């Protein structure tokens, strides 16, 4: 039986990846940091199938111990301070987790189980103020936030440990991917949650920042398949994972409100509090390498994704109301 260790198990991607690996017959270990209150909503349905190991990306000793316990064939490093907006208010913490945390984990791999295969969750945010469109594996990086700068570090240290120590390490440069399990602070889930609450009379307005930003949005369930495929190749390489279509935040808002029969302009207020000091205006990925080498393609369309998220939030609030 193959064994996998997932960091970031409580997050959106950690939960979908755990489901995928369990379905493939893996023994799944999840690195979980201590929290004052339980935060296992995304993985509650899997809690008896995953073996949790306490640990934190900023604590090398806990990572060494985790790899000693799991002795994993595959390691998926999904843990990060992943919210771009907060990386300006917590730039040092973001660097410690999202950048140096990768080195901590690679060091633990090198010392304890160098034959493990390692996946790093790199990000399209690294392209930032884009120098070409669409963005592909060879596109130069121009990060625009402390988060993106930290991800560039994580990306290059992953390559460096491969070249320095001959480890099997690779990175997926994933464009935005969403789902009903997306954290509530990210714009898509903030919108789907807000639309559901407004429709059910629980909220009157939705305050958002820049509606003109363009993102290449896919479904998280499709994207975790690409992570697994990357670790099944003979040679580790970098891959862009994207839908190849870009949409504005405003389009997302418009479709989400239309889905419940409402006009977004009656409810959305632009609030400077949600504007960023430096914005990423346009992301559009070219994942033709992933299609050619991995045979990977996304299945869920933009419209289907929005419908899935709005329906899920409506259901959640309807259940709460009826209790
Ligand atoms: P997410 O929902 O924010 O999950 C992040 C996970 O990291 C959570 O499980 C969190 O645990 C954990 N974590 C944070 N700090 C940690 C620490 N110091 N030690 C150990 N664990 C820690 O993120 P996601 O959307 O699933 O994304 C997964 C990864 O892909 C992240 O690295 C993200 O930066 C990257 N990425 C995401 C996207 C996207 O569109 N979703 C695109 C490109 C790249 P707690 O629950 O305890 O906070
Ligand atoms: O949903 P967002 O916060 O995601 P962002 O910044 O694109 O980052 C996400 O995707 C990255 C991949 O490209 C990941 F690496 C990263 O970890 C994260 O998962 O914001 C999307 C866009 C931005 O342009 C933002 O300015 O939406 C705009 N926006 C407008 N109003 C808003 C809001 N974003 C948030 N979070 N909240 C708003 O009210």
């Amino acid at each position: 039986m193959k064994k996998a260790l997932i960091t970031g198990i409580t997050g959106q991607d950690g939960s979908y990846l755990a489901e995928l690996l369990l379905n493939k017959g893996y023994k799944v270990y999840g690195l979980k940091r201590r929290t004052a209150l339980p935060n296992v909503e995304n993985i509650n349905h899997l809690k008896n199938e995953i073996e949790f190991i306490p640990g934190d990306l900023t604590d090398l000793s806990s990572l060494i111990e985790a790899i000693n316990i799991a002795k994993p064939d595959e390691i998926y490093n999904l843990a990060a301070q992943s919210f771009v907006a907060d990386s300006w208010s917590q730039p040092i913490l973001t660097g410690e987790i999202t950048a140096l945390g990768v080195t901590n984990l690679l060091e633990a791999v090198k010392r304890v189980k160098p034959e493990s295969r390692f996946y790093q969750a790199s990000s399209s945010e690294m392209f930032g103020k884009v120098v070409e469109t669409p963005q592909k594996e060879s596109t130069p990086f121009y990060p625009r936030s402390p988060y993106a700068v930290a991800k560039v570090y994580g990306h290059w240290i992953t390559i460096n440990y491969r070249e320095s120590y001959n480890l099997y390490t690779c990175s997926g440069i994933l464009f935005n991917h969403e789902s009903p399990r997306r954290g509530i602070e990210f714009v898509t889930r903030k919108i789907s949650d807000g639309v559901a609450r407004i429709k059910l009379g629980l909220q009157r307005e939705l305050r958002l920042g820049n509606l003109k930003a363009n993102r290449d949005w896919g479904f998280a369930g499709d994207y975790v398949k690409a992570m697994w495929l990357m670790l099944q190749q003979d040679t580790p390489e970098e891959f862009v994972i994207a839908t190849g279509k870009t949409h504005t935040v405003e389009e997302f808002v418009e479709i989400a409100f239309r889905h419940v029969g409402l006009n977004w302009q009656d409810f959305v207020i632009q609030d400077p509090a949600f504007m960023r000091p430096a914005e990423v205006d346009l992301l559009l990925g070219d994942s033709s390498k992933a299609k050619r080498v991995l045979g990977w393609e996304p299945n869920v369309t933009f419209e289907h994704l929005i419908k899935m998220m709005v329906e899920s939030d409506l259901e959640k609030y309807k259940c709460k109301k009826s209790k």
Side-chain angles (χ1 to χ4, degrees):
M1 182 192 272
K2 271 198 176 179
K3 293 185 286 182
L5 173 65
I6 302 175
T7 74
I9 190 81
T10 54
Q12 170 188 258
D13 291 5
S15 68
Y16 284 105
L17 181 64
E19 278 172 8
L20 179 89
L21 297 178
L22 288 166
N23 282 334
K24 289 186 183 295
Y26 280 61
K27 163 90 181 157
V28 174
Y29 295 85
L31 186 89
K32 196 179 161 310
R33 63 178 173 168
R34 185 196 170 268
T35 48
L37 294 170
N39 66 340
V40 288
E41 199 180 330
N42 282 339
I43 44 166
N44 219 6
H45 60 300
L46 305 172
K47 66 174 187 277
N48 297 326
E49 295 171 78
I50 297 170
E51 187 167 330
F52 295 103
I53 305 176
D56 192 297
L57 273 202
T58 59
D59 183 324
L60 175 62
S61 57
S62 70
L63 303 178
I64 289 174
E65 181 65 5
I67 297 178
N68 252 323
I69 293 169
K71 300 204 170 43
D73 301 291
E74 296 171 11
I75 298 169
Y76 295 87
N77 184 31
L78 310 185
Q81 190 304 88
S82 73
F83 188 39
V84 174
D86 276 3
S87 75
W88 278 281
S89 54
Q90 298 172 51
I92 296 166
L93 180 75
T94 301
E96 282 170 353
I97 300 172
T98 307
L100 278 181
V102 188
T103 311
N104 281 334
L105 191 53
L106 286 165
E107 265 302 303
V109 173
K110 174 166 79 78
R111 292 179 196 196
V112 183
K113 200 162 183 297
E115 62 279 20
S116 308
R117 294 186 170 203
F118 179 90
Y119 172 86
Q120 166 60 15
S122 287
S123 166
S124 53
E125 279 289 305
M126 301 188 303
F127 297 124
K129 192 172 162 71
V130 297
V131 301
E132 68 174 341
T133 296
Q135 296 86 48
K136 50 184 185 284
E137 291 78 6
S138 57
T139 303
F141 300 139
Y142 190 147
R144 290 274 279 174
S145 62
Y147 165 82
V149 172
K151 280 287 178 188
V152 172
Y153 175 92
H155 186 80
W156 278 107
I157 201 72
T158 299
I159 293 171
N160 182 261
Y161 268 58
R162 179 168 76 216
E163 294 178 352
S164 304
Y165 305 115
N166 202 25
L167 302 183
Y168 185 115
T169 65
C170 67
S171 299
I173 307 174
L174 271 54
F175 282 61
N176 298 51
H177 46 280
E178 319 293 316
S179 74
R181 298 181 199 167
R182 183 61 141 153
I184 201 83
E185 70 272 41
F186 297 93
V187 78
T188 56
R189 185 73 199 291
K190 183 174 170 183
I191 296 166
S192 65
D193 182 80
V195 165
R197 289 176 61 84
I198 288 170
K199 180 68 183 173
L200 297 173
L202 300 168
Q203 182 173 319
R204 298 214 331 227
E205 62 186 30
L206 179 58
R207 290 182 171 267
L208 295 171
N210 177 16
L211 301 180
K212 300 296 172 202
N214 277 269
R215 289 291 182 276
D216 180 330
W217 276 296
F219 171 54
D222 285 342
Y223 285 40
V224 297
K225 291 179 193 157
M227 298 177 187
W228 178 77
L229 283 167
M230 283 180 221
L231 291 198
Q232 312 313 309
Q233 306 307 305
D234 290 339
T235 44
E237 284 180 55
E238 282 61 60
F239 290 92
V240 158
I241 301 298
T243 69
K245 297 195 174 81
T246 192
H247 299 274
T248 59
V249 173
E250 190 174 296
E251 282 174 81
F252 195 108
V253 168
E254 199 261 319
I255 295 172
F257 274 95
R258 185 160 22 97
H259 184 65
V260 297
L262 297 175
N263 179 359
W264 70 274
Q265 280 150 323
D266 296 335
F267 302 98
V268 170
I269 294 174
Q270 266 201 294
D271 184 337
F274 297 107
M275 299 288 190
R276 295 177 179 182
E279 179 60 284
V280 171
D281 296 319
L282 166 72
L283 291 176
L284 172 61
D286 173 356
S287 57
S288 48
K289 180 182 173 190
K291 185 174 179 188
R292 183 169 37 83
V293 179
L294 307 176
W296 180 87
E297 276 186 288
N299 287 318
V300 175
T301 63
F302 182 62
E303 288 74 14
H304 183 181
L305 175 67
I306 298 174
K307 181 169 176 247
M308 185 197 301
M309 293 177 71
V310 172
E311 288 293 327
S312 164
D313 281 320
L314 276 171
E315 201 51 43
K316 178 185 75 185
Y317 286 115
K318 280 180 191 159
C319 283
K320 277 191 185 159
K321 262 186 144 181
S322 66
K323 276 182 189 163

